[in-house]
């Protein structure tokens, strides 16, 4: 696990810079690493709370979210186990969208392992954010390689037709 104390860091061939949505060495999404996501917009957060959660804002758990990209399913499993073993992470929920039994029609074919978690440490407790639930997507590099802006636009249309 790489920790960053500033706005940017570099470790193991990955450059992490939170000012950009995606910063991977060489900008190759299939290379693995971190895909920083912006905070969910107020418009989308409101839309999701009303469409999916019948106004219950406490169910919105992806305002803060990031993606980790892996080469193999085993790498994803190892990361998930590390999260479960780390006492500073409280895993609230895991959605295994890579399971053979998962019907990917509900996500337009997109597959990942989605982890909702809380970070509980002296610092997060001091600042009162230890109860905040964030989203971490664990995804294969082969899936990221075919994900595109155009593909995401199609997904938004798909989601809107479904009323999500």
């Amino acid at each position: 696990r790489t920790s960053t104390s500033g706005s940017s860091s570099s470790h193991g061939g990955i450059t992490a810079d939170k000012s950009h949505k995606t910063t991977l060495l060489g900008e190759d999404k299939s290379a693995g690493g971190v895909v920083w996501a912006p905070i969910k917009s107020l418009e989308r957060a409101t839309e999701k709370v009303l469409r999916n959660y019948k106004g219950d804002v406490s169910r919105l758990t992806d305002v803060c979210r990031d993606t980790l990209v892996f080469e193999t399913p085993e790498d994803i499993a190892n990361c998930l186990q590390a999260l479960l073993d780390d006492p500073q992470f409280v895993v609230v929920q895991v959605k295994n969208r890579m399971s053979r039994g998962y019907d990917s029609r509900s996500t337009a074919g997109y597959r990942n392992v989605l982890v909702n978690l809380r970070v509980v440490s002296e610092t997060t407790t001091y600042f009162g954010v230890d109860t905040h639930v964030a989203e971490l997507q664990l995804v294969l590099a082969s899936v990221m390689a075919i994900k595109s802006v155009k593909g995401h636009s199609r997904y938004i249309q798909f989601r809107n037709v479904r009323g999500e």
Side-chain angles (χ1 to χ4, degrees), residues 53 82 94 121 126 131 155 159:
Y53 305 134
V94 176
S121 67
Y126 176 82
T131 60
Y155 172 71
R159 181 184 71 203

Side-chain angles (χ1 to χ4, degrees), residues 90-111:
V90 176
V91 174
V92 176
Q93 174 178 276
V94 176
K95 290 182 185 176
N96 184 358
R97 295 176 174 157
M98 292 177 58
S99 166
R100 291 183 197 271
Y102 177 72
D103 183 358
S104 64
R105 290 178 291 185
S106 64
T107 53
Y110 187 71
R111 290 184 175 267

Side-chain angles (χ1 to χ4, degrees), residues 36-108:
W36 300 108
I39 300 283
K40 184 177 285 302
S41 72
L42 179 58
E43 177 183 272
R44 175 60 187 142
T46 303
E47 179 181 75
K48 190 169 185 179
V49 166
L50 294 175
R51 287 180 175 180
N52 294 19
Y53 305 134
K54 298 179 182 173
D56 183 359
V57 72
S58 70
R59 295 184 58 203
L60 187 65
T61 59
D62 63 347
V63 173
C64 296
R65 67 269 168 100
D66 278 317
T67 300
L68 298 178
V69 182
F70 298 90
E71 291 298 319
T72 68
E74 292 78 20
D75 293 337
I76 289 176
N78 290 337
C79 178
L80 182 57
Q81 190 60 56
L83 291 170
L84 291 167
D85 291 343
D86 191 321
Q88 287 193 341
F89 292 117
V90 176
V91 174
V92 176
Q93 174 178 276
V94 176
K95 290 182 185 176
N96 184 358
R97 295 176 174 157
M98 292 177 58
S99 166
R100 291 183 197 271
Y102 177 72
D103 183 358
S104 64
R105 290 178 291 185
S106 64
T107 53

Side-chain angles (χ1 to χ4, degrees), residues 3-49:
S3 64
T4 60
S5 56
S7 64
S8 133
S9 72
S10 180
H11 178 73
I14 301 166
T15 302
D17 180 346
K18 291 186 179 186
S19 66
H20 297 91
K21 183 173 180 185
T22 305
T23 307
L24 300 174
L25 200 59
E27 294 299 318
D28 179 3
K29 286 185 179 183
S30 66
V34 179
V35 180
W36 300 108
I39 300 283
K40 184 177 285 302
S41 72
L42 179 58
E43 177 183 272
R44 175 60 187 142
T46 303
E47 179 181 75
K48 190 169 185 179
V49 166

Side-chain angles (χ1 to χ4, degrees), residues 116-135:
N116 293 116
L117 53 80
R118 296 184 300 115
V119 180
V120 180
S121 67
E122 261 185 58
T123 304
T124 60
T125 302
Y126 176 82
F127 286 108
V129 294
D130 55 315
T131 60
H132 177 78
V133 179
E135 178 181 283

